[in-house]
């Protein structure tokens, strides 16, 4: 029989594979007919009357563009994509030829946004995309490829006379005063030519079809990469409110004051977007669905908890620990009783505190009860947790989450608040779908209560590793890093994926 680690690795690979740019595009995009060709996207048909253009921006867009050009062939007139600095070289080095454009491609590649910050190169690319969009006619079709990660930084085009430096300075000031990412994005969008639906408006009257890889919980179209082809739900009033809240209204550069005073007060009407179709091609939800399908193929009873898990890693870890303890009690025939009631109560309270969108825990626990003790169980989840950095160690949110879960389970077993140890085999995996977790070559880690027990026997202080944010060093200690999840760059990003595998021993 395969080990739980091999199963977990295979589920993670399957989930990531389904949202890799090339397979994702090839499943969703087809070109039909020769006389008057049609572009088919997930079953929707768009006639190619005259010229077909392509633009794109974001981390995964190079791979998306390479696949799109292969599908579109000679029908593609011209393209421009804005991608992170150094990405072509990285993919070349990693031997990922399928993510690179062919020689003599019709698509121009501009690299910019060093360290994911807008810069002169990114601006050059944004201006080229703007000019292409402005020149389109009613018979043209514009295909827009959007990858959430890095998409916003790669499309900077402040409304004149605002300079890029002025907009950046304002954004940094807001951030330093504690503005949330949503607030920063509202201000950025208001001062941008292309964000907040600007690109779609400039391309009018051409038909605009956007293919989107989402890296945001809930896949909100106007937030992913600051929504260049989606109607913005915010107005200049919202922007002014945020600047007032952080006491910046009176320190604005003249150029920003000018733009704000002449901006339309209402968000643009949805009917102004009748020429646009926004289609989500890849998301955390799609990746989890594929993992579930594969888990069932391996004989597991599989359930998806949520694709919107967020919150501080230690809190999220506690939620997973309680859930695992509850499942193990079910395996040992103790699914009903004071201990499982207490765990259920704790779970409901935690879920309420974490406010995970769309999670009906009652319903989930009901489904869990119906699984029966004869099959191994696989619980899948996704989203993006946060880490409060206190130490100077190496690791990322996924490795830290895995270590927290392993420690929590070990403690519960030691205190006898869970089913007798030895009755349940448990493995927890957390990994970043882009193949990177913090500043390490690992995408995440596998952990079990047994690993923590082994570490404590060797005299390692597991809590000290966590306090120092040094989960990577902890996992590197064992079997040559066998517990680290190392995938290499994947060329995609739909946030993180967690898998809990449990079988009776």
């Amino acid at each position: 029989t395969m080990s739980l680690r091999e199963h977990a690795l295979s589920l993670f690979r399957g989930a990531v594979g389904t949202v890799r740019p090339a397979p994702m595009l090839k499943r969703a995009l087809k070109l039909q007919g020769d006389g008057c060709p049609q572009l088919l996207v997930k079953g929707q048909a768009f006639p190619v009357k005259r010229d077909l253009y392509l633009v794109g921006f974001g981390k995964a867009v190079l791979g998306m563009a390479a696949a799109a050009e292969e599908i579109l062939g000679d029908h593609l007139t011209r393209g421009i994509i804005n991608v992170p600095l150094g990405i072509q070289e990285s993919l070349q080095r990693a031997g990922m030829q399928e993510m690179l454009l062919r020689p003599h491609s019709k698509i121009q590649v501009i690299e910019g946004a060093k360290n994911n910050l807008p810069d002169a190169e990114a601006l050059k690319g944004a201006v080229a995309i703007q000019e292409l969009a402005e020149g389109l006619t009613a018979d043209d079709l514009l295909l827009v490829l959007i990858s959430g990660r890095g998409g916003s930084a790669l499309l900077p085009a402040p409304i004149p006379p605002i300079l890029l430096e002025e907009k950046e300075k304002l954004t940094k000031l807001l951030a330093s005063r504690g503005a949330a990412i949503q607030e920063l994005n509202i201000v950025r969008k208001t001062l941008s030519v292309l964000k907040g639906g600007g690109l779609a408006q400039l391309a009018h009257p051409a038909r605009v079809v956007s293919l989107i890889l989402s890296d945001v919980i809930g896949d909100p179209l106007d937030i992913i990469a600051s929504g260049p082809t989606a109607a913005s739900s915010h107005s200049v009033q919202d922007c002014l409110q945020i600047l007032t809240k952080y006491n910046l209204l009176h320190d604005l550069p003249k150029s920003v004051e000018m733009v704000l005073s002449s901006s339309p007060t209402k968000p643009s009407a949805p009917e102004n977007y009748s020429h646009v179709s926004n289609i989500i091609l890849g998301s955390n939800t799609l990746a989890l669905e594929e993992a579930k399908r594969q888990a069932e193929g391996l004989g597991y009873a599989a359930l998806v908890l949520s694709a919107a898990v967020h919150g501080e890693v230690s809190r999220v870890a506690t939620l997973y620990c309680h859930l695992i303890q509850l499942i193990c009690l079910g395996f040992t025939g103790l699914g009903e009783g004071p201990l499982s009631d207490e765990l259920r109560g704790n779970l409901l309270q935690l879920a309420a505190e974490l406010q995970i969108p769309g999670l009906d825990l009652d319903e989930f626990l009901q489904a869990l009860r119906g699984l029966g003790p004869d099959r191994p169980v696989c619980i899948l989840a996704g989203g993006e947790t946060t880490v409060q950095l206190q130490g100077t160690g190496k690791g990322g949110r996924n490795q830290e989450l895995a270590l927290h879960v392993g420690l929590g389970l070990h403690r519960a077993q030691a205190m006898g608040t869970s089913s007798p140890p030895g009755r349940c085999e448990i493995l927890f995996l957390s990994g970043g779908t882009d193949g990177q977790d913090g500043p390490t070559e690992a995408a995440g880690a596998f952990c079990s209560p047994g690993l923590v027990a082994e570490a404590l026997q060797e005299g390692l202080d597991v809590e000290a590793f966590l306090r120092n944010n040094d989960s990577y060093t902890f996992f590197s200690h064992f079997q040559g890093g066998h517990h680290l999840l190392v995938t290499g760059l994947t060329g995609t990003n739909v946030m993180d994926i967690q898998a809990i595998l449990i079988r009776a021993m």
Side-chain angles (χ1 to χ4, degrees):
T1 58
M2 277 167 79
S3 70
L4 291 185
R5 182 186 180 280
E6 287 166 317
H7 282 170
L9 184 58
S10 137
L11 298 180
F12 185 81
R13 289 208 166 122
V16 171
T18 203
V19 290
R20 277 190 185 237
M24 192 175 68
L25 251 103
K26 285 173 185 164
R27 276 197 313 272
L29 191 65
K30 307 232 178 326
L31 197 65
Q32 240 186 14
D34 286 334
C36 178
Q38 283 192 326
L39 194 60
L40 291 178
V41 186
K42 278 190 164 179
Q44 293 184 55
F46 302 97
V48 182
K49 296 179 189 155
R50 204 180 84 170
D51 289 340
L52 176 55
Y53 294 92
L54 178 152
V55 298
F57 28 88
K59 209 173 186 175
V61 156
L62 193 59
M64 289 166 83
E69 186 164 30
E70 202 179 310
I71 295 162
L72 303 173
D74 293 337
H75 289 283
L76 180 64
T77 308
R78 183 177 154 231
I80 302 169
I81 59 172
N82 238 9
V83 297
L85 190 68
I87 192 163
Q88 294 179 96
E89 196 193 336
S90 301
L91 292 169
Q92 197 99 46
R93 270 206 314 270
M96 295 169 79
Q97 287 323 107
E98 76 282 3
M99 307 275 290
L100 293 164
L101 295 169
R102 307 235 166 88
H104 318 299
S105 163
K106 290 180 184 167
I107 300 171
Q108 178 192 355
V109 181
I110 297 167
E111 292 193 358
K114 191 181 175 181
N115 300 330
N116 201 17
L117 293 168
D119 56 16
E121 288 308 302
L123 180 61
K124 191 178 99 181
V127 169
I129 287 172
Q130 179 183 342
E131 286 168 354
L132 187 151
E134 286 171 336
L136 300 177
T137 71
D139 288 337
D140 294 324
L141 180 69
L142 179 65
L143 192 60
V144 184
L145 308 177
I146 301 176
S147 144
R149 193 60 57 150
S152 188
L154 284 159
L155 203 65
I159 298 171
I162 301 174
L163 301 173
L164 186 60
E165 298 75 60
E166 293 175 316
K167 188 176 149 195
E168 270 317 280
K169 202 172 140 192
L170 181 60
T171 311
K172 280 200 182 112
L173 253 174
L174 274 166
S176 70
R177 293 190 182 183
I181 183 73
Q182 284 81 356
E183 294 176 315
L184 293 176
N185 281 342
I186 291 168
V187 173
R188 276 191 200 128
K189 278 196 298 193
T190 312
L191 304 178
S192 290
V193 178
L194 299 169
K195 290 169 186 165
L199 177 60
Q201 294 305 323
L202 290 176
H204 185 268
R207 189 87 185 108
V208 177
V209 181
S210 277
L211 308 182
I212 302 167
L213 180 65
S214 167
D215 68 331
V216 184
I217 282 177
D219 310 330
L221 292 172
D222 66 329
I223 301 287
I224 302 164
S226 302
T229 57
S232 173
S233 46
H234 304 105
S235 66
V236 75
Q237 291 328 109
D238 298 309
C239 179
L240 291 169
Q241 259 174 341
I242 292 163
L243 294 170
T244 308
K245 175 178 166 183
Y246 294 103
N247 215 353
L248 286 168
L249 206 51
H250 304 296
D251 308 329
L252 296 176
K254 282 275 169 285
S255 56
V256 174
E257 280 183 3
M258 269 175 71
V259 166
L260 288 175
S261 61
S262 60
S263 295
T265 48
K266 285 196 180 68
S268 60
E271 56 268 23
N272 296 352
Y273 290 84
S274 56
H275 63 298
V276 184
S277 300
N278 286 306
I279 299 161
I280 300 242
L281 281 200
S283 65
N284 194 276
T285 303
L286 288 165
L288 290 175
E289 279 166 11
E290 177 59 24
K292 179 175 190 274
R293 206 179 61 76
Q294 296 205 8
E296 286 166 347
L298 289 168
Y300 286 86
L303 291 174
V304 172
L305 177 71
S306 164
V309 173
H310 64 106
E312 211 275 317
V313 282
S314 60
R315 307 292 295 147
V316 173
T318 307
L319 179 83
Y320 286 143
C321 285
H322 288 342
L323 200 51
I324 293 166
Q325 287 169 260
L326 198 57
I327 296 167
C328 286
L329 283 173
F331 270 153
T332 47
L334 300 169
E336 303 303 324
L339 190 50
S340 50
D341 290 345
E342 189 188 337
L343 281 168
R344 274 193 200 95
N346 289 345
L347 269 169
L348 290 166
Q349 193 184 335
L350 250 175
E353 280 172 37
L354 286 166
Q355 294 186 326
I356 294 166
L359 171 60
D360 183 343
L361 194 60
D362 265 331
E363 195 182 307
F364 183 81
L365 293 176
Q366 208 49 50
L368 210 50
R369 276 178 168 156
L371 290 183
D374 44 347
R375 275 167 77 198
V377 171
C378 170
I379 307 288
L380 295 155
E384 208 158 80
T385 56
T386 45
V387 171
Q388 303 274 313
L389 281 176
Q390 295 160 330
T392 53
K394 272 176 86 173
R397 57 179 183 260
N398 290 289
Q399 294 163 70
E400 195 154 312
L401 178 61
L403 188 49
H404 268 292
V405 170
L407 181 60
L409 291 172
H410 172 76
R411 277 191 187 143
Q413 285 181 356
M415 286 161 53
T417 53
S418 74
S419 65
R423 300 290 293 274
C424 256
E425 191 189 355
I426 303 163
L427 184 80
F428 178 82
L429 164 69
S430 186
T433 54
D434 60 353
Q436 280 178 312
D437 184 37
T440 70
E441 84 281 3
F446 306 86
C447 200
S448 65
L451 181 68
V452 172
E454 190 185 323
L456 294 168
Q457 271 163 358
E458 285 185 27
L460 292 176
D461 184 344
V462 181
E463 287 178 51
F465 281 102
L466 283 169
R467 275 196 304 274
N468 194 28
N469 300 112
D470 204 13
S471 48
Y472 175 79
T473 308
F474 173 87
F475 287 116
S476 305
H477 258 302
F478 300 92
Q479 297 161 307
H482 178 71
H483 297 276
L484 288 167
L485 170 68
V486 181
T487 60
L489 279 179
T490 61
T492 189
N493 188 347
V494 294
M495 301 183 290
D496 305 334
I497 286 176
Q498 283 102 40
I500 296 167
L501 303 188
I502 304 176
R503 61 184 175 199
M505 278 160 83

